[in-house]
Amino acid sequence: MEASRLRLEIGGLVQGVGFRPFVYRLARELGLAGWVCNSAAGASLELEGSDAALEGFLLRLPREKPPHAEIAHLEVRKIPARGEGAFEIRPSLAGEKTAAILPDLAVCGSCLSELFDPADRRYRYPFLNCTRCGPRFSILEALPYDRANTTMSGFAMCEACRAEYEDPRDRRFHAQPIACPQCGPRLEYWDAEGRAPAALEEALPCAVRAVREGKILALKGLGGFHLIADARNDAALARLRRRKAREEKPFALMFPSLAALREAAEVSELEARWLQSAEAPIVLLRRRAAAGLSTAVAPGNPYLGAMLPYTPLHHLLMADWGFPVVATSGNRAEEPICTRESEAWERLGGIADAFLVHDRPIARPVDDSILRVMAGREMMLRRSRGFAPLPVAVPISRPVLALGAHLKDTVALGVSNRVYVSQHLGDLQTPQAMAAFAEAAERLQACYETRPESVACDLHPDYASTHFAESLGRPLRRVQHHHAHVVACMAEQGLEGRVLGVAWDGLGYGPDGTLWGGEFLLATRAAFERAGYFLPFPLPGGERALREPRRVALGMLHEALGPAGLSDFKGPLRAAFSPAEWRLLREMLEKGLQCPRSSGVGRLFDAVAALIGLRRVQKFEGQAAMELEFLCEE
């Protein structure tokens, strides 16, 4: 029977998920010849064999693909047969880079079984992985996703790992970060003076002992450092808060197991699924009355931000500790998380009592993602590890770089009808944060070898991201903050045409020069009309009012009562100010000095919290609104 040959071009999430080994095994099973390789756009393959075998391959490809693979588009064309008799995996092809990058994946069940199996050669090895799990985005330096383009390129495979890597029957067949104790990364422990134990195998026991003794451990993990402390130890957490200058903002927790977490918090079936998923985010959970945790974990907060171990290293540590730990980002206030040992020693040296590090470089900082289940569905609060940089489908004709706002920033690259969204970058308040922001923007462009023709930035003229956009010397598209929110929701939900979008937040710069934030917009992707909004009121002191809800409340009262009414005001709020402060702020309001007007719903929450005496000065952004929500839930 005469053979036929097909050429397939596949785009989507097909690199780093075991897709080529899957194609190899399926083709061999069906008796097909040809080859498969990574391409700049995803994967390319040619298949040769009977028409029945080729048809069977095309039917089974989408149905049996690896669990983390996603086929966004598939192009099939018939080409002349070549008479090949075997199927192989070939080196990657060059071309325009549009392949989706896989996020980092939590350790899979098979690897976890090996981790705790004394008979396995990777027993208690902190860096084991396979095609189903392990580091991806945090180690990737360039596309396509090959070992040479990752931070594992400096680790030469031993003979045993090489044999697994080249064996089509092995689940580590072409697993790019493959490693073992003989050839892979290693741990090292330092005390506060930088001294390390003589034997490398003592690193893990030393770290376990340090936390048990109440010390603060700086742990180099998957996408950066965590600061670890015993979540039951009041003194340890008080030191951590003092050293990190984090007075009341809640700490994230890591629990040894789902069973242990259920003793401290209420966990629904959906929340449990997310906690145990490959993405393994932090999930906000309602805490139990007898949680057995220090009150310093989340002062005055009825919720816990909890996660389960997601790397082999975390599993080893948590199994040895057997109790929940604080696992907060390894940084100082308003700075990005540390990723390099030297950087951590310099920036975390005054916070941590000990360090557990390793020699696998981290290509970029990747914070933990945060998720909350509301009304029976998940709501993403921080999109980072496990999710970034997965793309959103948006019709884009020309490459564009989008630089976000000022707080909770991310950057994004639009190319070939997809928007690749970076990991969470945080607030652009410090030089270190700006350096990380600039690096993320540059590396996203470098990864896809794309120089955008234009740059999108926030309409606010004073944002650091706006200044950065202006410095690039490319055509600018200044986007109104709340229009961006609405269009982002449209893209996420696949909506076209005109919509009524409701965008409520703290503030965003409006075209009229006031601070918007309680918006009803009739919007398309290209334009909007302001259909309605909350009545604006003044914020005495501008940015300072964002930290002091009492000032926001005073501005709202001035708007509602007028100067005369405010002069006669005798409510409890007046006691929140000294007589001199009261006089000065009233004068500022009457003269309109440093009193920008805002319609932000977030500021409305702040004002109500201050008026009822709940929170008049914030220790962290959003605290007043959170406490108002908690009060309403009681």
Side-chain angles (χ1 to χ4, degrees):
M1 181 182 296
E2 187 175 342
S4 299
R5 191 175 182 93
L6 299 178
R7 172 76 180 229
L8 279 66
E9 298 292 347
I10 301 175
L13 197 55
V14 292
Q15 294 187 14
V17 293
F19 189 77
R20 289 177 300 165
F22 157 72
V23 167
Y24 178 94
R25 286 189 286 266
L26 181 58
R28 292 283 297 268
E29 178 188 334
L30 294 171
L32 294 168
W35 52 266
V36 62
C37 70
N38 279 338
S39 70
S44 298
L45 56 148
E46 291 188 5
L47 303 163
E48 186 167 325
S50 69
D51 289 343
L54 291 170
E55 183 179 352
F57 183 94
L58 293 175
L59 287 172
R60 292 174 62 181
L61 179 70
R63 193 170 61 222
E64 300 177 17
K65 62 180 175 56
H68 299 298
E70 293 180 11
I71 298 175
H73 65 267
L74 171 63
E75 179 186 321
V76 183
R77 57 191 172 93
K78 195 167 185 177
I79 59 175
R82 297 179 181 173
E84 291 177 341
F87 195 91
E88 62 180 348
I89 295 180
R90 288 187 177 178
S92 299
L93 295 175
E96 182 186 0
K97 296 184 176 180
T98 58
I101 300 169
L102 188 70
D104 301 302
L105 300 173
V107 61
C108 70
S110 298
C111 284
L112 204 54
S113 296
E114 293 173 345
L115 184 67
F116 292 105
D117 180 0
D120 194 276
R121 75 184 189 92
R122 291 186 175 88
Y123 174 58
R124 292 185 65 83
Y125 180 58
F127 305 101
L128 84 171
N129 62 83
C130 69
T131 55
R132 304 171 194 163
C133 69
R136 299 294 191 271
F137 185 47
S138 63
I139 62 170
L140 185 73
E141 295 185 310
L143 284 172
Y145 177 68
D146 294 328
R147 190 180 181 95
N149 291 331
T150 73
T151 61
M152 285 296 295
S153 60
F155 297 90
M157 287 183 235
C158 65
E159 289 185 9
C161 283
R162 174 65 66 182
E164 292 171 324
Y165 184 85
E166 295 177 350
D167 184 355
R169 299 163 298 179
D170 198 288
R171 78 173 195 282
R172 292 190 171 92
F173 182 44
H174 281 251
Q176 304 307 330
I178 188 172
C180 76
Q182 303 305 313
C183 64
R186 297 187 177 187
L187 291 174
E188 189 170 314
Y189 174 87
W190 307 334
D191 64 16
E193 283 72 46
R195 295 173 302 211
L200 288 176
E201 57 269 21
E202 285 298 308
L204 201 67
C206 284
V208 170
R209 189 161 52 249
V211 173
R212 284 189 175 277
E213 292 172 353
K215 294 178 180 177
I216 298 166
L217 176 72
L219 170 67
K220 184 181 179 185
L222 186 65
F225 276 78
H226 278 130
L227 289 166
I228 305 288
D230 185 345
R232 308 164 303 173
N233 190 319
D234 291 335
L237 298 195
R239 284 200 316 278
L240 178 56
R241 286 201 175 278
R242 185 175 64 254
R243 293 176 183 178
K244 202 171 189 280
R246 184 171 173 142
E247 291 182 73
E248 297 180 12
K249 191 174 183 179
F251 284 136
L253 298 172
M254 184 176 285
F255 283 78
S257 65
L258 183 60
L261 176 51
R262 281 192 157 128
E263 292 178 4
E266 300 170 9
V267 185
S268 70
E269 183 179 339
L270 180 56
E271 289 163 341
R273 281 208 303 271
W274 276 111
L275 286 161
Q276 297 176 301
S277 68
E279 294 83 2
I282 295 170
V283 179
L284 296 191
L285 304 166
R286 189 86 185 185
R287 72 191 300 167
R288 296 189 186 278
L293 302 169
S294 168
T295 56
V297 165
N301 194 320
Y303 288 88
L304 299 175
M307 58 183 156
L308 297 178
Y310 55 85
T311 70
L313 177 56
H314 290 134
H315 276 280
L316 290 171
L317 288 167
M318 295 308 298
D320 288 350
W321 282 322
F323 53 77
V325 298
V326 161
T328 189
S329 299
N331 59 358
R332 291 188 177 274
E334 311 299 345
E335 293 183 2
I337 56 172
C338 298
T339 57
R340 295 183 293 275
E341 294 89 317
S342 58
E343 176 188 35
W345 182 256
E346 178 183 343
R347 288 167 51 195
L348 304 181
I351 301 176
D353 302 307
F355 293 76
L356 184 62
V357 300
H358 57 77
D359 57 353
R360 183 179 70 201
I362 296 172
R364 58 183 55 77
V366 185
D367 255 309
D368 296 313
S369 294
I370 304 176
L371 180 148
R372 183 180 183 183
V373 173
M374 298 186 71
R377 59 167 293 179
E378 63 276 1
M379 175 183 289
M380 186 66 64
L381 302 181
R382 185 167 80 189
R383 185 182 186 270
S384 201
R385 177 185 52 76
F387 299 92
L390 291 177
V392 178
V394 177
I396 291 177
S397 57
R398 298 177 183 276
V400 59
L401 176 67
L403 294 174
H406 189 70
L407 302 179
K408 304 176 183 66
D409 192 82
T410 59
V411 298
L413 180 67
V415 58
S416 298
N417 294 323
R418 290 185 175 193
V419 175
Y420 299 90
V421 185
S422 80
Q423 72 277 26
H424 165 82
L425 299 173
D427 301 345
L428 307 183
Q429 307 274 46
T430 63
Q432 294 88 346
M434 276 305 300
F437 160 81
E439 182 180 9
E442 178 58 36
R443 297 199 72 168
L444 196 57
Q445 295 172 77
C447 208
Y448 286 96
E449 294 182 354
T450 297
R451 286 295 163 188
E453 296 181 14
S454 62
V455 177
C457 66
D458 196 277
L459 187 64
H460 200 300
D462 295 327
Y463 279 174
S465 55
T466 302
H467 294 163
F468 181 83
E470 292 167 345
S471 74
L472 297 178
R474 297 181 205 162
L476 284 186
R477 171 76 186 277
R478 300 178 191 270
V479 182
Q480 200 283 321
H481 191 89
H482 302 95
H483 184 216
H485 280 316
V486 171
V487 174
C489 290
M490 291 173 66
E492 187 177 43
Q493 301 300 322
L495 300 178
E496 302 284 348
R498 198 174 190 223
V499 302
L500 174 62
V502 180
W504 293 356
D505 63 2
L507 59 86
Y509 194 76
D512 59 0
T514 65
L515 301 175
W516 292 12
E519 308 307 312
F520 298 81
L521 304 181
L522 286 170
T524 64
R525 287 179 175 170
F528 72 92
E529 299 172 37
R530 197 182 192 193
Y533 54 92
F534 280 71
L535 290 176
F537 54 89
L539 302 177
E543 280 197 23
R544 188 165 176 182
L546 307 186
R547 300 188 294 273
E548 298 183 23
R550 60 180 188 155
R551 288 175 175 248
V552 182
L554 186 61
M556 191 172 73
L557 286 175
H558 179 271
E559 188 70 20
L561 304 177
L566 189 58
S567 176
D568 297 332
F569 182 74
K570 305 298 183 185
L573 181 69
R574 189 157 184 164
F577 301 92
S578 69
E581 286 177 320
W582 184 264
R583 285 193 302 271
L584 177 62
L585 291 171
R586 275 189 56 209
E587 185 176 348
M588 289 171 60
L589 286 164
E590 289 170 11
K591 295 181 178 180
L593 298 174
Q594 295 185 43
C595 293
R597 297 180 66 79
S598 169
S599 62
V601 173
R603 302 290 75 80
L604 185 62
F605 293 157
D606 289 349
V608 172
L611 285 170
I612 65 175
L614 184 63
R615 172 64 58 177
R616 287 172 174 163
V617 176
Q618 299 195 112
K619 302 297 185 181
F620 60 90
E621 192 260 336
Q623 185 179 22
M626 287 170 57
E627 291 178 348
L628 189 61
E629 177 187 343
F630 303 153
L631 183 64
C632 292
E633 289 179 349
E634 290 181 1

